[in-house]
Every structure is written in C-alpha cells, then in structure tokens.
Amino acid sequence: MSQPSKTLALDVMSGDQGFRVAIDALKRVLPRHPDLAIVVVGDEPEIVAYWPERPARVRLRHAAEVVAMDESPVDALRKKKQSSMRVAIDLVKTGEAGACVSAGNTGALMAIAKFVLKTLPGIDRPAIMAELPTRDGHLYMLDVGANALCTAEQLYQFAVMGSSVAGRLMTIDAPRVALLNIGSEDNKGRDEIRDAAALIAAGDVNYVGFVEGSTLFDGLADVVVADGFTGNIALKTMEGTAKLIGDFLREAFSSSLLSRLQALVALPALRRLRARTDPRAYNGASLVGLNGIVVKSHGGADAVAFEHAIETAILELADNLPADIKRRLNGES
C-alpha cells in the first residue's frame, strides 16, 4: 500500500450545523499544518460566498447533493452518487485525497465508505472507533455502533485494528487491549466474548483481560473492544451521564445567592473539570478496517469539535494507518 496523499477531503455539507461550522474549523486548523492541502467538497457558490479569500492550497469540489441525516444508508448509496459525502470518499478512492472527514449520517457514511473503499484484506467488517477520557488520559473504544452483532473472530480483528491505531496515535509500543464484559472473571460473558478473549490473548496484541463498565475510565486499558450494540449503548450512557452531572452542578451552584458566590470561588476547578470532560475534545470517530482513512464527526459538532475531527484525520494520514493495520493482520512485525 502506497503512502497516501497529504491532502484531506472535507465534506462540509453533511451534518446538522451546516457548512459554515466545517469551514470555520478548517480556518483554525490550516495555520498549524502548512504542508497540508484541502479539498472542500460541497455547494461551491455558497462556499465561495462565505469564504471568498481562500489559501491556494484549499481547492473546491462542487457536490450537487447532500445526504440527509435521516436518509436510509441504502438510498444514500444508490441514489446520492453526487452527494458531498460520496464525492469526498471518491477522492480518497482515486488517491486525490489521503483521508476524508464528514459530519454526516453515520450509517450512510459507513455504507458508502465500505462500498467505495472496500475493507482491508482479512477484515470482515469495518468498525467505528471513538476516543474517550479516563482518569489519567484517554482510551479508544471500538466498535461503537457499526456492527450490532459480532463473532469472536471479528472482535479479534477489532482488537488488532484498535491496537494499531491507538499505538500510532498515542505513540506507545504496546497499547493495553481489553474486552468490555459483564465481569472481570474469565468465566463471565457470552460464548463469543470468551472465545474472542482466547483469540486476542494468542494474537499480536497486549491483551489485559476483561473490563466492566464501572472500571472503563480507571485507566486499565488503552483500547477497549466491544460489539457495536454494547459499545454504542456504553458511549451514549457516558454522554448522558456527563450531561446529567453538568446539569446537577449548574442547579447546585445557582440555587441561592450563597451557592452563586461559592461557584465564583470554585470557578477555576469547574473550568478544569469542563476541559477534561468536554465532549468536543474527543470528537472524531475513525472508521477503521477500510482501505482508506475516513473520520466521522458528530453531526451536531461546533467548530471546536469539528476541528478535533480534522486533527484526528491528519494524524491518521501522517501515519498511514490502513497500511499498518494490514501489516499487523499479516503477522508482520
């Protein structure tokens, strides 16, 4: 597999917030990466009107259609061949771009990416990998929604892919890989979970055993593997819990004059807490297992969150992660 182009295709039309959010994020990213070229994919007249003075390394590619957030993946694949999402992924397929970022419909993005780019040899299904905070840093969890049911072999493939990506992005040699389960004992969980544990333990990853939902954030693993059904429920539960705690804190600190004064005293600590738990700092899920790099931004991302998704794609592009995953699956050192 050849080294991909240092060009990023940016689907600016998909998502809930409109193209301005993606372009504002791009404006923040460009000064940090002077050697990066960008292809902005979307409605060219609208983009030109909003951003008339663009750097020479930013090119536009017109796309006449947009995949709606509630559109079925089958319809998006069959009927929207000129959508901004499809055009961006096609640019990766042809080598005009080394990676693409989209905030669009997750199911459609996965369906189109799998159809256009295909999976890597040895991979049955791509997975969605998300970054999450822990007590002492962060971890990567996959799958978080692409595959509701998985075999033991597929979970093993997720472990290899997750280890490869996390090792490059975290710059560590042997990321700790765990399986999400209902208990930490070897006899716990469904048959496919226990079978996957045996496969992973015998493979070329640093397997550390099972983790439970209650210990997910304790820093016991760098990569946590789950089927997409379990992983997505865990992810959405985390997001809901973080929002609930934020609501509780606002309620507690606004209930009286004294509590508002206490909030002023606690403001530095509250700002640190917000920075560590801000979901925008973890935006940008990787579609791993494809013969190309695709990063999914949250559909409701603002410019700060979309910026992080772009940075994730840039890191994966620099490390040519599909090639590394292919090498690991082939048993090469």
Side-chain angles (χ1 to χ4, degrees):
M1 186 179 297
S2 61
Q3 182 68 27
S5 163
K6 291 186 178 179
T7 301
L8 186 68
L10 197 63
D11 167 18
V12 302
M13 304 306 293
S14 303
D16 299 320
Q17 302 301 315
F19 70 91
R20 292 173 178 82
V21 164
I23 291 175
D24 290 346
L26 178 58
K27 289 177 180 178
R28 297 162 62 102
V29 169
L30 284 173
R32 296 196 294 269
H33 301 279
D35 61 340
L36 183 73
I38 303 290
V39 182
V40 175
V41 183
D43 188 308
E44 187 169 354
E46 285 193 283
I47 296 166
V48 170
Y50 183 70
W51 195 16
E53 303 285 336
R54 299 176 308 280
R57 57 195 172 108
V58 176
R59 296 182 288 119
L60 302 185
R61 182 67 60 91
H62 181 67
E65 299 173 321
V66 179
V67 174
M69 294 300 282
D70 60 352
E71 195 159 352
S72 80
V74 173
D75 285 346
L77 178 61
R78 292 179 178 176
K79 301 177 181 179
K80 292 286 184 73
K81 296 181 180 180
Q82 299 304 314
S83 68
S84 55
M85 183 184 292
R86 177 63 176 266
V87 172
I89 294 173
D90 282 343
L91 289 171
V92 177
K93 172 66 174 180
T94 61
E96 293 179 68
C100 80
V101 180
S102 174
N105 179 321
T106 303
L109 185 67
M110 178 61 83
I112 293 171
K114 185 177 179 181
F115 176 78
V116 173
L117 300 176
K118 312 305 181 187
T119 57
L120 290 166
I123 297 295
D124 293 338
R125 299 178 182 177
I128 302 174
M129 188 174 82
E131 181 184 1
L132 301 171
T134 64
R135 294 182 187 275
D136 55 0
H138 59 272
L139 62 81
Y140 292 94
M141 186 163 73
L142 74 166
D143 182 20
V144 294
N147 307 283
L149 297 175
C150 298
T151 65
E153 175 64 27
Q154 288 160 354
L155 292 172
Y156 164 73
Q157 292 169 11
F158 295 169
V160 174
M161 294 190 295
S163 177
S164 176
V165 176
R168 292 298 187 96
L169 298 185
M170 301 173 79
T171 62
I172 53 179
D173 291 333
R176 298 163 298 165
V177 178
L179 273 166
L180 185 60
N181 201 358
I182 59 172
S184 58
E185 299 86 357
D186 291 341
N187 63 338
K188 290 292 182 71
R190 302 191 305 268
D191 289 343
E192 60 266 28
I193 299 293
R194 297 197 303 272
D195 291 344
L199 288 174
I200 298 169
D204 181 28
V205 296
N206 180 18
Y207 180 59
V208 296
F210 297 137
V211 293
E212 302 177 69
S214 60
T215 59
L216 196 57
F217 305 114
D218 288 350
L220 302 176
D222 304 303
V223 177
V224 174
V225 175
D227 61 73
F229 184 88
T230 305
N232 189 266
I233 288 178
L235 180 65
K236 297 295 176 58
T237 302
M238 298 168 209
E239 292 174 348
T241 301
K243 183 179 183 300
L244 180 65
I245 293 172
D247 291 344
F248 282 168
L249 286 172
R250 280 189 290 274
E251 180 182 330
F253 281 120
S254 61
S255 59
S256 66
L257 176 60
L258 177 60
S259 65
R260 286 193 287 271
L261 291 173
Q262 291 170 332
L264 289 175
V265 175
L267 190 58
L270 291 173
R271 284 175 174 166
R272 289 194 296 271
L273 174 63
R274 180 180 179 182
R276 292 192 66 183
T277 59
D278 188 350
R280 299 179 302 175
Y282 302 95
N283 182 52
S286 304
L287 276 57
V288 295
L290 296 168
N291 193 27
I293 297 169
V294 179
V295 172
K296 168 68 172 72
S297 169
H298 194 287
D302 63 10
V304 174
F306 206 101
E307 177 185 1
H308 191 271
I310 295 173
E311 290 285 2
T312 298
I314 292 170
L315 281 173
E316 295 189 14
L317 180 58
D319 284 328
N320 195 8
L321 285 177
D324 189 64
I325 293 171
K326 182 179 180 180
R327 177 185 60 78
R328 293 282 297 275
L329 286 168
N330 289 338
E332 302 171 15
S333 57

